Amino acid sequence: MLERAWEWIKMRDTFEKELNKLHVLFAEMGMMVNEAISHSVKAFSDHDNELAQEVILRDKKINECENELESLTLELIALYQPVTTDLRDVITVLKASSDIERIGDHAVSISRATIKMKGTRRIPEIEVEIAKMGEQACVMVEQVLDAYIKNDEEQAYQIADDDHKLDNALESIRDKCLKFMQNDPKTVVSGSHYTLVATYLERIGDYVTNVCEWVIFLKKGEIVELNKDHEEKR
Amino acid sequence: MLERAWEWIKMRDTFEKELNKLHVLFAEMGMMVNEAISHSVKAFSDHDNELAQEVILRDKKINECENELESLTLELIALYQPVTTDLRDVITVLKASSDIERIGDHAVSISRATIKMKGTRRIPEIEVEIAKMGEQACVMVEQVLDAYIKNDEEQAYQIADDDHKLDNALESIRDKCLKFMQNDPKTVVSGSHYTLVATYLERIGDYVTNVCEWVIFLKKGEIVELNKDHEEKR
């Protein structure tokens, strides 16, 4: 009897160590993506091709991290067969890591746009709006990682609530770009890139919202859908 | 001893029934998304606002289906603690359903663009290219569902290989749109929408590639990354 209890304690201890490794790796991936998105926005605002190139190159590490997380979660489920909150922990990382990885992909797309825009006629007014939108997206990414670490579902609801700001910003940037492009053909190339970059930033908000749903799942064990009504009206 | 064996057989039987339910639901979701993307492309080509509206409304069902799949997979893992190939089956559905759902989201985005374009000056030449690109994306979605159902990893590799066609189509459409917009301000609104729609179609190729990775995982139990080198060069 005592022997079995001892075995159980040992196994529990190993599981907790592995779970901790998973959390650390997920947090590391989150920090890398957070840096990628903030660097891509900075590179875009500063017309800094070198920094943009760096974001593109570093994305490889983010993808590797996601693969490692996937392998680790599968190993954990197969070896320890976790239930209730332990299972939730593992599943949250497995699902949310896809969303985090995709935010990284969008940082790459923004960086590619930065490089392609070199030498085109800029529209400072739009660049200011995109920089503001980029900052909002960065704050949302940072906040959702914080909510995940603190297991704070209230914060997750609030972050998802803020997503409409990015939708409105996209709408405004898109309309202004169209007017510029219609009035001055020399702004067509930059205007098209601005529209795409704003679209990428808006999508980042959607991925953050998905991660918010997983933070709520982690806390309450319920799968919720945030902002769906709002999306329908868009 | 016999009693325990009998219990195991009963449990295995229930698990297999539940797993089958999961497969059927995933296939159903796949078919819905397949229809959504082909309808959204058709609505775009035919300037059919009504069909576009239908795609937007039906997306709710796809989202509900994803939630149901998520709940069912979690229940299966918690109740039956599957290992090896059974676990792989369940995890594949859990992960690939996010990609399938996002293809549905992009069908919605294409439908929204269709509605917004009403009354703008069209560019038939570009519309032909987008229709072709849309068809390629539809074929890829259909094929990956087929590869999943047949558990055919060779097919998955081939489908992912075809993704560069969508990348090239996007590049071509983007360049042509820029030229039209620069030469005729009246094409700026439609040109912007065309560029966005082509971007959505290209992203669908990326999601299909992700599903291909899961089909390979299902067969070989290995997490692979497809098209990453190619993406870096883009």
Side-chain angles (χ1 to χ4, degrees), chain A residues 56 59-60 63-64 66-67 70-71 74 77-78 81-84 87 91 93-95 97-99 101-102 105-106 109 112 116 171 174 177-178 181-183 185 188-189 192-193 195-196 199-200 203 207 210 214 217 223-225 228-229 231-234, chain B residues 56 59-60 63-64 66-67 70-71 74 77-78 81-84 87 91 93-95 97-99 101-102 105-106 109 112 116 171 174 177-178 181-183 185 188-189 192-193 195-196 199-200 203 207 210 214 217 223-225 228-229 231-234:
Chain A
I56 296 170
D59 190 52
K60 211 174 167 233
N63 292 329
E64 282 168 6
E66 197 205 1
N67 286 355
E70 281 167 356
S71 303
L74 291 175
I77 297 175
Q81 310 185 322
V83 285
T84 63
L87 179 62
I91 294 292
V93 171
L94 186 67
K95 287 287 274 191
S97 59
S98 315
D99 295 308
E101 190 262 339
R102 261 164 217 150
D105 281 348
H106 281 63
S109 298
R112 286 215 178 93
K116 281 189 185 156
E171 204 74 28
R174 197 149 48 181
C177 281
L178 287 179
M181 293 193 282
Q182 281 164 331
N183 291 328
V188 160
V189 176
S192 284
H193 282 302
T195 307
L196 277 178
T199 310
Y200 298 141
R203 282 280 149 165
Y207 291 124
N210 285 344
W214 288 106
F217 167 76
I223 290 169
V224 293
E225 249 197 293
K228 277 295 160 189
D229 287 349
E231 264 180 35
E232 270 157 34
K233 280 178 215 138
R234 206 158 51 183
Chain B
I56 297 170
D59 190 51
K60 213 175 167 233
N63 293 328
E64 282 168 7
E66 196 205 2
N67 287 354
E70 280 167 357
S71 303
L74 292 174
I77 297 175
Q81 309 185 321
V83 285
T84 63
L87 180 62
I91 293 292
V93 171
L94 187 67
K95 287 286 274 193
S97 59
S98 315
D99 295 308
E101 190 262 339
R102 260 163 218 151
D105 281 349
H106 282 63
S109 298
R112 285 213 179 95
K116 279 187 186 159
E171 204 73 28
R174 195 148 52 182
C177 281
L178 287 178
M181 293 193 282
Q182 281 164 332
N183 291 329
V188 159
V189 176
S192 285
H193 282 302
T195 308
L196 278 177
T199 309
Y200 298 140
R203 282 279 150 171
Y207 292 123
N210 285 343
W214 289 107
F217 167 76
I223 290 168
V224 294
E225 249 195 291
K228 276 298 163 189
D229 288 348
E231 264 179 37
E232 268 157 36
K233 280 178 215 141
R234 211 159 46 185

Side-chain angles (χ1 to χ4, degrees), chain B residues 145-185:
Chain B
L145 293 170
D146 189 60
Y148 167 78
I149 289 165
K150 291 187 186 146
N151 200 5
D152 183 346
E153 114 253 32
E154 275 310 313
Q155 198 185 353
Y157 276 111
Q158 272 166 24
I159 300 162
D161 236 20
D162 274 350
D163 188 34
H164 71 275
K165 288 184 192 161
L166 292 184
D167 301 339
N168 297 343
L170 168 63
E171 204 73 28
S172 155
I173 290 167
R174 195 148 52 182
D175 289 348
K176 282 184 188 157
C177 281
L178 287 178
K179 280 188 194 118
F180 272 105
M181 293 193 282
Q182 281 164 332
N183 291 329
D184 179 4

Side-chain angles (χ1 to χ4, degrees), chain B residues 201-232:
Chain B
L201 290 171
E202 186 268 338
R203 282 279 150 171
I204 288 174
D206 294 342
Y207 292 123
V208 168
T209 304
N210 285 343
V211 181
C212 288
E213 292 174 356
W214 289 107
V215 171
I216 294 163
F217 167 76
L218 191 60
K219 184 72 176 260
K220 305 211 301 192
E222 271 168 44
I223 290 168
V224 294
E225 249 195 291
L226 301 171
N227 299 349
K228 276 298 163 189
D229 288 348
H230 158 68
E231 264 179 37
E232 268 157 36

Side-chain angles (χ1 to χ4, degrees), chain B residues 17-53:
Chain B
K17 273 185 193 137
E18 290 293 304
L19 196 62
N20 196 38
K21 217 163 105 185
L22 195 73
H23 283 305
V24 170
L25 197 59
F26 184 74
E28 264 175 28
M29 186 184 173
M31 278 188 287
M32 277 197 278
V33 169
N34 201 12
E35 191 187 75
I37 180 68
S38 82
H39 279 185
S40 73
V41 169
K42 189 175 163 18
F44 179 84
S45 296
D46 299 349
H47 311 172
D48 183 346
N49 269 19
E50 222 169 288
L51 186 59
Q53 196 59 49

